[in-house]
Amino acid sequence: MARRDSLMLGNGVVSGLTSLRRDSLILDRLLERQFLLSPWVREKRLRNQLRLVLKDHLEAGPKRRSTVTKIVHDAHQVYPVWRNQMREVMFENWERVQEIEPRESAIIIYAQFKKPRFHDEQEATILYAEHMVEVGQYWKRKAIERAERSGKTNYNPVTVTNSKFWYEVK
């Protein structure tokens, strides 16, 4: 994944990061955890968490700062992809997600994150899943109303655009 490539500075691997590269699951899990708590990059929080993880592997200075910056940049790239995947999964299972409890819909929507979760992550995913379903219902209803006003009798539900959907969820 690009995140591992971002740990490259110049022509080689950042010295001191060889053990972290082997344990890159730490960084993956950190990014996933931050995403599960909030599907937007909370840059200040993420930078602080990365600094705490990297202080055991890199001395303070430009190498650690640039590594943190590159990982944060990667988070800015991967978070929208993850959000889009979640939205697609929700709308693919739209009928089912509307009928079940928020806890069960969170399991469906966040299926790509199968790793064990802490209690706060579970609460956040349930809260966001419930809100995502509500926002999806709102936009679907608006699309149907717009189709009826324009006189379309054979209406196929249009998928809600990514930007509109996440703007309302946020």
Coordinates of all heavy atoms in Angstrom, one line a residue, residues 58-139:
L58 N 12.2 6.8 15.8 CA 13.0 7.9 15.1 C 13.2 9.0 16.2 O 12.4 9.3 17.0 CB 12.2 8.5 14.0 CG 12.0 7.6 12.7 CD1 11.1 8.4 11.8 CD2 13.3 7.3 12.1
E59 N 14.4 9.6 16.1 CA 14.7 10.7 17.0 C 13.9 11.9 16.5 O 13.6 12.0 15.3 CB 16.2 11.0 17.0 CG 17.0 9.9 17.7 CD 18.4 10.2 17.8 OE1 18.8 11.4 17.8 OE2 19.2 9.3 18.0
A60 N 13.7 12.8 17.4 CA 13.0 14.1 17.0 C 13.8 14.8 15.9 O 15.1 14.8 16.0 CB 12.8 15.0 18.2
G61 N 13.2 15.4 15.0 CA 13.9 16.1 13.9 C 13.2 16.0 12.6 O 12.0 15.5 12.5
P62 N 13.9 16.4 11.5 CA 13.2 16.4 10.2 C 12.8 15.1 9.7 O 11.8 15.0 9.0 CB 14.3 17.1 9.3 CG 15.6 17.0 10.1 CD 15.3 16.9 11.5
K63 N 13.5 14.0 10.0 CA 13.1 12.7 9.5 C 11.7 12.3 10.1 O 10.8 11.8 9.4 CB 14.1 11.6 9.7 CG 15.3 11.7 8.8 CD 16.3 10.6 9.1 CE 17.5 10.6 8.2 NZ 18.4 9.5 8.4
R64 N 11.6 12.4 11.4 CA 10.3 12.1 12.0 C 9.2 13.0 11.6 O 8.1 12.5 11.3 CB 10.5 12.1 13.5 CG 9.2 11.6 14.2 CD 9.4 11.2 15.7 NE 9.5 12.4 16.5 CZ 9.8 12.4 17.8 NH1 10.1 11.3 18.3 NH2 9.9 13.5 18.5
R65 N 9.5 14.3 11.5 CA 8.4 15.2 11.0 C 8.0 14.9 9.6 O 6.8 14.9 9.3 CB 8.9 16.7 11.1 CG 8.9 17.2 12.6 CD 9.1 18.7 12.6 NE 10.3 19.1 11.9 CZ 11.5 19.2 12.5 NH1 11.7 18.9 13.7 NH2 12.6 19.7 11.8
S66 N 8.9 14.7 8.7 CA 8.5 14.4 7.3 C 7.8 13.1 7.2 O 6.9 12.9 6.4 CB 9.8 14.4 6.4 OG 10.6 13.4 6.6
T67 N 8.2 12.1 8.0 CA 7.5 10.8 8.0 C 6.1 11.0 8.5 O 5.2 10.4 7.9 CB 8.3 9.8 8.9 OG1 9.6 9.6 8.4 CG2 7.6 8.4 8.9
V68 N 5.9 11.7 9.6 CA 4.5 12.0 10.0 C 3.7 12.7 9.0 O 2.6 12.4 8.7 CB 4.6 12.8 11.4 CG1 3.2 13.4 11.7 CG2 5.1 12.0 12.5
T69 N 4.3 13.7 8.3 CA 3.6 14.5 7.3 C 3.2 13.5 6.1 O 2.1 13.6 5.6 CB 4.5 15.6 6.8 OG1 4.8 16.5 7.9 CG2 3.9 16.4 5.6
K70 N 4.1 12.6 5.7 CA 3.8 11.7 4.6 C 2.7 10.8 5.0 O 1.8 10.5 4.2 CB 5.0 11.0 4.2 CG 6.0 11.8 3.5 CD 7.2 11.1 3.0 CE 8.2 12.0 2.3 NZ 9.3 11.3 1.6
I71 N 2.7 10.3 6.2 CA 1.6 9.4 6.7 C 0.3 10.1 6.8 O -0.8 9.6 6.4 CB 2.0 8.7 8.0 CG1 3.2 7.8 7.8 CG2 0.8 7.9 8.6 CD1 3.8 7.2 9.1
V72 N 0.3 11.3 7.3 CA -0.9 12.1 7.3 C -1.4 12.4 5.9 O -2.6 12.3 5.6 CB -0.7 13.5 8.1 CG1 -1.8 14.4 7.9 CG2 -0.5 13.2 9.6
H73 N -0.5 12.7 5.0 CA -0.9 12.9 3.6 C -1.6 11.6 3.0 O -2.6 11.7 2.4 CB 0.3 13.2 2.7 CG 0.0 13.3 1.3 ND1 0.1 12.3 0.4 CD2 -0.5 14.4 0.5 CE1 -0.3 12.7 -0.8 NE2 -0.6 13.9 -0.8
D74 N -1.0 10.4 3.3 CA -1.6 9.2 2.9 C -3.0 9.0 3.5 O -3.9 8.5 2.9 CB -0.7 8.0 3.3 CG 0.5 7.9 2.4 OD1 0.6 8.6 1.4 OD2 1.4 7.2 2.8
A75 N -3.2 9.4 4.8 CA -4.5 9.3 5.4 C -5.5 10.2 4.7 O -6.6 9.8 4.5 CB -4.4 9.8 6.9
H76 N -5.1 11.4 4.2 CA -5.9 12.3 3.4 C -6.3 11.6 2.1 O -7.4 11.9 1.6 CB -5.3 13.6 3.2 CG -5.3 14.6 4.3 ND1 -6.5 15.2 4.7 CD2 -4.4 15.0 5.2 CE1 -6.3 16.0 5.7 NE2 -5.0 15.9 6.1
Q77 N -5.5 10.7 1.6 CA -5.8 10.0 0.4 C -6.7 8.8 0.6 O -7.6 8.5 -0.2 CB -4.5 9.6 -0.3 CG -3.5 10.7 -0.6 CD -4.1 11.7 -1.6 OE1 -4.6 11.3 -2.6 NE2 -4.0 13.0 -1.2
V78 N -6.5 8.1 1.7 CA -7.2 6.8 1.9 C -8.5 7.0 2.5 O -9.4 6.2 2.3 CB -6.3 5.8 2.6 CG1 -6.2 6.1 4.1 CG2 -6.7 4.4 2.3
Y79 N -8.7 8.0 3.4 CA -10.0 8.2 4.1 C -11.1 8.4 3.1 O -12.2 7.7 3.3 CB -9.9 9.3 5.1 CG -9.3 9.0 6.4 CD1 -8.4 8.0 6.6 CD2 -9.7 9.6 7.6 CE1 -7.8 7.7 7.8 CE2 -9.2 9.3 8.8 CZ -8.3 8.3 8.9 OH -7.8 8.0 10.2
P80 N -11.0 9.2 2.1 CA -12.1 9.3 1.1 C -12.4 8.0 0.4 O -13.6 7.8 0.1 CB -11.6 10.4 0.1 CG -10.6 11.2 0.9 CD -9.9 10.2 1.8
V81 N -11.4 7.2 0.1 CA -11.7 5.9 -0.5 C -12.5 5.0 0.4 O -13.5 4.4 0.0 CB -10.3 5.3 -0.9 CG1 -10.6 3.9 -1.4 CG2 -9.6 6.1 -2.0
W82 N -12.1 5.0 1.7 CA -12.8 4.2 2.7 C -14.2 4.7 2.8 O -15.2 3.9 2.9 CB -12.1 4.2 4.0 CG -10.8 3.4 4.0 CD1 -10.4 2.5 3.1 CD2 -9.8 3.4 5.0 NE1 -9.2 1.9 3.5 CE2 -8.8 2.5 4.7 CE3 -9.7 4.1 6.2 CZ2 -7.7 2.3 5.5 CZ3 -8.5 3.9 7.0 CH2 -7.6 3.0 6.6
R83 N -14.4 6.0 2.9 CA -15.8 6.6 3.0 C -16.6 6.2 1.8 O -17.8 5.8 2.0 CB -15.7 8.1 3.2 CG -15.3 8.6 4.5 CD -15.6 10.0 4.7 NE -15.1 10.9 3.6 CZ -14.0 11.6 3.7 NH1 -13.3 11.6 4.8 NH2 -13.7 12.4 2.7
N84 N -16.1 6.3 0.6 CA -16.8 5.9 -0.6 C -17.2 4.4 -0.6 O -18.3 4.1 -0.9 CB -16.0 6.2 -1.8 CG -16.9 6.1 -3.1 OD1 -18.0 6.4 -3.1 ND2 -16.2 5.6 -4.1
Q85 N -16.3 3.6 -0.1 CA -16.6 2.1 0.0 C -17.7 1.9 0.9 O -18.6 1.0 0.7 CB -15.3 1.4 0.4 CG -14.3 1.3 -0.7 CD -12.9 0.8 -0.2 OE1 -12.7 0.6 1.0 NE2 -12.0 0.5 -1.1
M86 N -17.7 2.6 2.1 CA -18.7 2.4 3.1 C -20.1 2.8 2.5 O -21.1 2.1 2.7 CB -18.4 3.2 4.3 CG -17.3 2.6 5.2 SD -16.9 3.5 6.6 CE -18.1 4.6 6.9
R87 N -20.1 3.9 1.8 CA -21.4 4.4 1.2 C -21.9 3.5 0.2 O -23.1 3.1 0.2 CB -21.1 5.8 0.6 CG -22.4 6.5 0.0 CD -22.1 7.7 -0.7 NE -21.2 7.5 -1.8 CZ -21.6 7.2 -3.1 NH1 -22.9 7.0 -3.3 NH2 -20.7 7.0 -4.0
E88 N -21.0 2.9 -0.6 CA -21.4 2.0 -1.6 C -22.0 0.7 -1.0 O -23.0 0.2 -1.4 CB -20.3 1.6 -2.6 CG -19.9 2.7 -3.5 CD -18.6 2.4 -4.3 OE1 -18.0 1.4 -4.1 OE2 -18.3 3.3 -5.1
V89 N -21.3 0.2 0.0 CA -21.8 -1.0 0.7 C -23.2 -0.7 1.3 O -24.1 -1.6 1.3 CB -20.8 -1.4 1.8 CG1 -21.4 -2.5 2.8 CG2 -19.6 -2.0 1.2
M90 N -23.4 0.4 1.9 CA -24.7 0.8 2.5 C -25.8 0.8 1.5 O -26.8 0.2 1.7 CB -24.6 2.1 3.2 CG -25.9 2.5 3.9 SD -25.9 4.1 4.6 CE -26.2 5.1 3.2
F91 N -25.5 1.4 0.3 CA -26.6 1.5 -0.7 C -26.8 0.2 -1.4 O -27.9 -0.1 -1.9 CB -26.3 2.6 -1.7 CG -26.7 4.0 -1.1 CD1 -25.7 5.0 -1.0 CD2 -27.9 4.3 -0.6 CE1 -26.0 6.2 -0.4 CE2 -28.2 5.5 -0.1 CZ -27.3 6.5 0.0
E92 N -25.7 -0.7 -1.5 CA -25.9 -2.0 -2.0 C -26.8 -2.9 -1.2 O -27.5 -3.7 -1.6 CB -24.6 -2.7 -2.2 CG -23.7 -2.2 -3.3 CD -22.3 -2.7 -3.3 OE1 -22.0 -3.6 -2.4 OE2 -21.5 -2.3 -4.1
N93 N -26.8 -2.6 0.1 CA -27.6 -3.4 1.1 C -28.7 -2.5 1.7 O -29.1 -2.6 2.8 CB -26.7 -3.9 2.3 CG -25.7 -4.8 1.8 OD1 -26.0 -5.9 1.4 ND2 -24.4 -4.4 1.9
W94 N -29.2 -1.6 0.8 CA -30.1 -0.5 1.3 C -31.4 -1.0 2.0 O -31.7 -0.5 3.1 CB -30.4 0.4 0.1 CG -31.3 1.6 0.5 CD1 -32.5 1.9 0.1 CD2 -30.9 2.6 1.5 NE1 -33.0 3.0 0.7 CE2 -32.0 3.5 1.5 CE3 -29.8 2.9 2.2 CZ2 -32.0 4.6 2.4 CZ3 -29.8 4.0 3.1 CH2 -30.8 4.8 3.1
E95 N -32.1 -1.9 1.4 CA -33.3 -2.4 2.0 C -33.1 -3.0 3.4 O -33.8 -2.8 4.3 CB -34.0 -3.4 1.0 CG -34.5 -2.8 -0.3 CD -35.4 -1.6 -0.1 OE1 -36.3 -1.7 0.8 OE2 -35.3 -0.6 -0.8
R96 N -32.1 -3.8 3.4 CA -31.7 -4.6 4.6 C -31.3 -3.6 5.7 O -31.7 -3.7 6.9 CB -30.7 -5.6 4.4 CG -30.4 -6.5 5.5 CD -29.5 -7.7 5.1 NE -29.2 -8.4 6.3 CZ -28.0 -8.9 6.6 NH1 -27.0 -8.7 5.7 NH2 -27.7 -9.5 7.7
V97 N -30.4 -2.6 5.4 CA -29.8 -1.7 6.4 C -30.9 -0.8 7.0 O -30.8 -0.5 8.2 CB -28.8 -0.8 5.7 CG1 -28.4 0.3 6.5 CG2 -27.5 -1.7 5.4
Q98 N -32.0 -0.5 6.2 CA -33.0 0.3 6.8 C -33.9 -0.4 7.8 O -34.4 0.2 8.7 CB -33.9 0.8 5.7 CG -33.3 1.8 4.8 CD -34.3 2.3 3.7 OE1 -35.0 3.2 4.0 NE2 -34.3 1.6 2.6
E99 N -34.0 -1.7 7.6 CA -34.9 -2.5 8.5 C -34.3 -3.0 9.8 O -35.0 -3.3 10.7 CB -35.4 -3.7 7.7 CG -36.2 -3.3 6.5 CD -36.6 -4.5 5.5 OE1 -36.1 -5.6 5.9 OE2 -37.2 -4.2 4.5
I100 N -33.0 -3.1 9.8 CA -32.4 -3.7 11.0 C -31.9 -2.7 12.0 O -32.0 -1.5 11.7 CB -31.2 -4.6 10.6 CG1 -30.2 -3.8 9.8 CG2 -31.7 -5.8 9.8 CD1 -29.0 -4.7 9.4
E101 N -31.5 -3.1 13.2 CA -31.0 -2.2 14.2 C -29.7 -1.5 13.8 O -29.0 -2.1 13.0 CB -30.8 -3.0 15.5 CG -32.0 -3.6 16.1 CD -32.9 -2.5 16.6 OE1 -32.4 -1.5 17.3 OE2 -34.2 -2.6 16.4
P102 N -29.4 -0.3 14.3 CA -28.2 0.4 14.0 C -26.9 -0.5 14.2 O -26.0 -0.4 13.5 CB -28.2 1.6 14.9 CG -29.7 1.8 15.1 CD -30.3 0.5 15.2
R103 N -26.9 -1.3 15.3 CA -25.8 -2.1 15.6 C -25.5 -3.1 14.5 O -24.4 -3.3 14.0 CB -26.0 -2.8 16.9 CG -24.8 -3.7 17.3 CD -25.0 -4.4 18.7 NE -25.2 -3.4 19.7 CZ -24.2 -2.8 20.4 NH1 -23.0 -3.0 20.0 NH2 -24.5 -2.0 21.4
E104 N -26.6 -3.7 13.9 CA -26.4 -4.7 12.9 C -26.1 -4.0 11.5 O -25.3 -4.5 10.7 CB -27.7 -5.5 12.7 CG -28.0 -6.4 14.0 CD -29.4 -6.8 14.0 OE1 -30.2 -6.4 13.2 OE2 -29.7 -7.6 14.9
S105 N -26.7 -2.8 11.3 CA -26.3 -2.1 10.1 C -24.9 -1.6 10.1 O -24.2 -1.6 9.1 CB -27.3 -0.9 9.8 OG -27.2 0.0 10.9
A106 N -24.3 -1.3 11.3 CA -22.9 -0.9 11.4 C -22.0 -2.0 11.1 O -21.0 -1.8 10.4 CB -22.6 -0.4 12.9
I107 N -22.4 -3.3 11.4 CA -21.6 -4.4 11.0 C -21.6 -4.6 9.5 O -20.5 -4.9 9.0 CB -22.2 -5.7 11.7 CG1 -22.0 -5.6 13.2 CG2 -21.6 -7.0 11.1 CD1 -22.7 -6.7 14.0
I108 N -22.7 -4.3 8.9 CA -22.7 -4.4 7.4 C -21.9 -3.3 6.8 O -21.0 -3.5 5.9 CB -24.2 -4.4 6.9 CG1 -24.9 -5.6 7.3 CG2 -24.2 -4.2 5.4 CD1 -26.4 -5.6 7.1
I109 N -22.1 -2.1 7.2 CA -21.5 -0.9 6.6 C -20.0 -0.9 6.8 O -19.2 -0.6 6.0 CB -22.1 0.4 7.1 CG1 -23.5 0.5 6.6 CG2 -21.3 1.6 6.7 CD1 -24.4 1.6 7.3
Y110 N -19.5 -1.3 8.0 CA -18.1 -1.3 8.4 C -17.5 -2.7 8.2 O -16.5 -3.0 8.9 CB -17.9 -0.8 9.8 CG -18.1 0.6 10.0 CD1 -19.4 1.2 10.3 CD2 -17.0 1.5 9.9 CE1 -19.5 2.5 10.4 CE2 -17.2 2.9 10.1 CZ -18.4 3.4 10.4 OH -18.6 4.7 10.5
A111 N -18.0 -3.5 7.3 CA -17.5 -4.9 7.2 C -16.1 -5.0 6.8 O -15.4 -6.0 7.1 CB -18.4 -5.6 6.1
Q112 N -15.6 -4.0 6.0 CA -14.2 -4.0 5.6 C -13.2 -3.9 6.8 O -12.0 -4.2 6.7 CB -13.9 -3.0 4.6 CG -13.9 -1.6 5.1 CD -13.8 -0.5 4.0 OE1 -14.5 -0.6 3.0 NE2 -13.0 0.5 4.2
F113 N -13.7 -3.5 7.9 CA -12.9 -3.3 9.1 C -13.2 -4.5 10.1 O -13.9 -4.2 11.1 CB -13.1 -2.0 9.8 CG -12.8 -0.8 8.9 CD1 -13.8 -0.1 8.2 CD2 -11.5 -0.5 8.6 CE1 -13.5 0.9 7.4 CE2 -11.2 0.6 7.7 CZ -12.2 1.3 7.1
K114 N -12.8 -5.7 9.8 CA -13.2 -6.8 10.6 C -12.4 -7.0 11.9 O -12.7 -7.9 12.7 CB -13.0 -8.1 9.8 CG -14.1 -8.3 8.8 CD -15.4 -8.8 9.4 CE -16.4 -9.2 8.4 NZ -17.7 -9.5 9.0
K115 N -11.4 -6.3 12.1 CA -10.5 -6.5 13.3 C -11.3 -6.2 14.6 O -12.2 -5.4 14.6 CB -9.3 -5.6 13.2 CG -8.4 -6.0 12.0 CD -7.3 -5.0 11.8 CE -6.5 -5.4 10.6 NZ -5.5 -4.5 10.1
P116 N -10.9 -6.8 15.6 CA -11.5 -6.5 16.9 C -11.5 -5.0 17.2 O -10.5 -4.4 17.0 CB -10.7 -7.3 17.9 CG -9.9 -8.3 17.2 CD -9.8 -7.7 15.8
R117 N -12.6 -4.6 17.8 CA -12.7 -3.1 18.0 C -12.9 -2.9 19.5 O -13.5 -3.7 20.2 CB -14.0 -2.6 17.3 CG -13.9 -2.7 15.8 CD -15.0 -2.1 15.1 NE -15.0 -2.3 13.7 CZ -16.0 -2.6 13.0 NH1 -17.2 -2.7 13.5 NH2 -15.9 -2.9 11.7
F118 N -12.4 -1.7 19.9 CA -12.6 -1.3 21.3 C -14.0 -0.8 21.4 O -14.7 -0.5 20.4 CB -11.6 -0.2 21.6 CG -10.2 -0.6 21.6 CD1 -9.3 -0.3 20.6 CD2 -9.7 -1.5 22.6 CE1 -8.0 -0.7 20.6 CE2 -8.4 -1.9 22.7 CZ -7.5 -1.5 21.7
H119 N -14.4 -0.6 22.7 CA -15.8 -0.1 22.9 C -16.1 1.2 22.3 O -17.2 1.4 21.7 CB -16.0 -0.1 24.4 CG -17.4 0.3 24.8 ND1 -18.5 -0.6 24.6 CD2 -18.0 1.4 25.4 CE1 -19.6 0.0 25.0 NE2 -19.3 1.2 25.5
D120 N -15.2 2.2 22.4 CA -15.4 3.5 21.8 C -15.5 3.4 20.3 O -16.3 4.2 19.7 CB -14.4 4.5 22.2 CG -13.0 4.1 21.9 OD1 -12.7 2.9 21.6 OD2 -12.1 5.0 21.9
E121 N -14.8 2.5 19.6 CA -14.9 2.3 18.2 C -16.3 1.8 17.8 O -16.9 2.2 16.8 CB -13.8 1.4 17.7 CG -12.4 2.0 17.8 CD -11.3 1.0 17.5 OE1 -11.6 -0.2 17.3 OE2 -10.2 1.4 17.3
Q122 N -16.7 0.8 18.6 CA -18.0 0.2 18.4 C -19.1 1.3 18.5 O -20.0 1.3 17.6 CB -18.3 -0.9 19.3 CG -17.4 -2.2 19.0 CD -17.6 -3.2 20.1 OE1 -18.2 -3.0 21.2 NE2 -17.1 -4.4 19.8
E123 N -19.1 2.1 19.5 CA -20.1 3.1 19.7 C -20.1 4.1 18.5 O -21.1 4.5 18.0 CB -19.9 3.9 21.0 CG -20.3 3.1 22.2 CD -20.0 3.9 23.5 OE1 -19.6 5.0 23.5 OE2 -20.3 3.3 24.6
A124 N -18.9 4.5 18.1 CA -18.7 5.5 17.0 C -19.3 4.9 15.7 O -20.0 5.6 15.0 CB -17.3 5.9 16.8
T125 N -19.0 3.6 15.4 CA -19.5 3.0 14.2 C -21.0 2.9 14.2 O -21.6 3.1 13.2 CB -18.8 1.6 13.9 OG1 -19.1 0.8 15.0 CG2 -17.4 1.7 13.7
I126 N -21.6 2.6 15.4 CA -23.0 2.5 15.5 C -23.7 3.8 15.2 O -24.6 4.0 14.5 CB -23.4 1.9 16.8 CG1 -23.0 0.4 16.9 CG2 -25.0 2.0 17.0 CD1 -23.1 -0.2 18.3
L127 N -23.1 4.9 15.9 CA -23.6 6.2 15.7 C -23.5 6.7 14.3 O -24.5 7.2 13.7 CB -22.8 7.2 16.6 CG -23.2 8.6 16.5 CD1 -24.5 8.9 17.2 CD2 -22.1 9.5 17.2
Y128 N -22.4 6.5 13.6 CA -22.2 6.9 12.2 C -23.1 6.1 11.3 O -23.7 6.6 10.4 CB -20.8 6.9 11.8 CG -20.0 8.1 12.2 CD1 -19.0 8.1 13.1 CD2 -20.3 9.3 11.6 CE1 -18.3 9.2 13.5 CE2 -19.6 10.5 12.0 CZ -18.6 10.4 12.9 OH -18.0 11.6 13.2
A129 N -23.2 4.8 11.6 CA -24.1 4.0 10.7 C -25.5 4.4 10.8 O -26.2 4.5 9.7 CB -24.0 2.5 11.1
E130 N -26.0 4.7 12.0 CA -27.4 5.2 12.1 C -27.6 6.5 11.4 O -28.6 6.7 10.7 CB -27.7 5.3 13.6 CG -29.1 5.7 13.9 CD -29.4 5.8 15.4 OE1 -28.5 5.9 16.2 OE2 -30.6 5.8 15.7
H131 N -26.6 7.4 11.6 CA -26.7 8.7 10.9 C -26.6 8.6 9.4 O -27.3 9.3 8.6 CB -25.7 9.6 11.5 CG -25.8 11.0 11.0 ND1 -27.0 11.7 11.2 CD2 -24.9 11.9 10.4 CE1 -26.8 13.0 10.7 NE2 -25.6 13.1 10.3
M132 N -25.8 7.7 8.9 CA -25.6 7.5 7.5 C -26.9 7.0 6.9 O -27.3 7.4 5.8 CB -24.5 6.5 7.2 CG -23.1 7.0 7.4 SD -21.8 5.7 7.5 CE -21.9 5.1 5.8
V133 N -27.6 6.1 7.6 CA -28.9 5.6 7.0 C -29.9 6.7 7.0 O -30.6 6.8 6.0 CB -29.4 4.4 7.9 CG1 -30.8 4.0 7.5 CG2 -28.5 3.2 7.7
E134 N -29.9 7.5 8.0 CA -30.9 8.7 8.1 C -30.6 9.6 6.9 O -31.5 10.1 6.2 CB -30.8 9.4 9.4 CG -31.3 8.6 10.6 CD -31.0 9.2 11.9 OE1 -30.3 10.3 11.9 OE2 -31.5 8.7 12.9
V135 N -29.3 9.9 6.7 CA -29.0 10.8 5.6 C -29.3 10.2 4.2 O -29.8 10.9 3.3 CB -27.5 11.2 5.7 CG1 -27.0 11.9 4.4 CG2 -27.2 12.1 6.9
G136 N -29.0 8.9 4.1 CA -29.4 8.2 2.9 C -30.9 8.3 2.6 O -31.3 8.5 1.5
Q137 N -31.7 8.1 3.6 CA -33.1 8.1 3.5 C -33.6 9.5 3.1 O -34.4 9.7 2.2 CB -33.8 7.8 4.8 CG -33.7 6.3 5.2 CD -34.2 6.0 6.6 OE1 -34.3 6.9 7.4 NE2 -34.5 4.8 6.8
Y138 N -33.0 10.6 3.6 CA -33.3 11.9 3.3 C -33.0 12.2 1.8 O -33.8 12.7 1.1 CB -32.4 12.9 4.2 CG -32.5 14.3 3.7 CD1 -33.6 15.1 4.0 CD2 -31.4 14.9 3.1 CE1 -33.6 16.4 3.6 CE2 -31.4 16.2 2.6 CZ -32.5 17.0 2.9 OH -32.5 18.3 2.5
W139 N -31.8 11.8 1.4 CA -31.4 12.1 0.0 C -32.2 11.3 -1.0 O -32.5 11.7 -2.1 CB -29.9 11.9 -0.3 CG -29.1 13.1 0.2 CD1 -28.3 13.1 1.3 CD2 -29.2 14.4 -0.3 NE1 -27.8 14.4 1.5 CE2 -28.3 15.2 0.5 CE3 -29.9 15.0 -1.3 CZ2 -28.1 16.5 0.3 CZ3 -29.7 16.4 -1.5 CH2 -28.8 17.1 -0.7

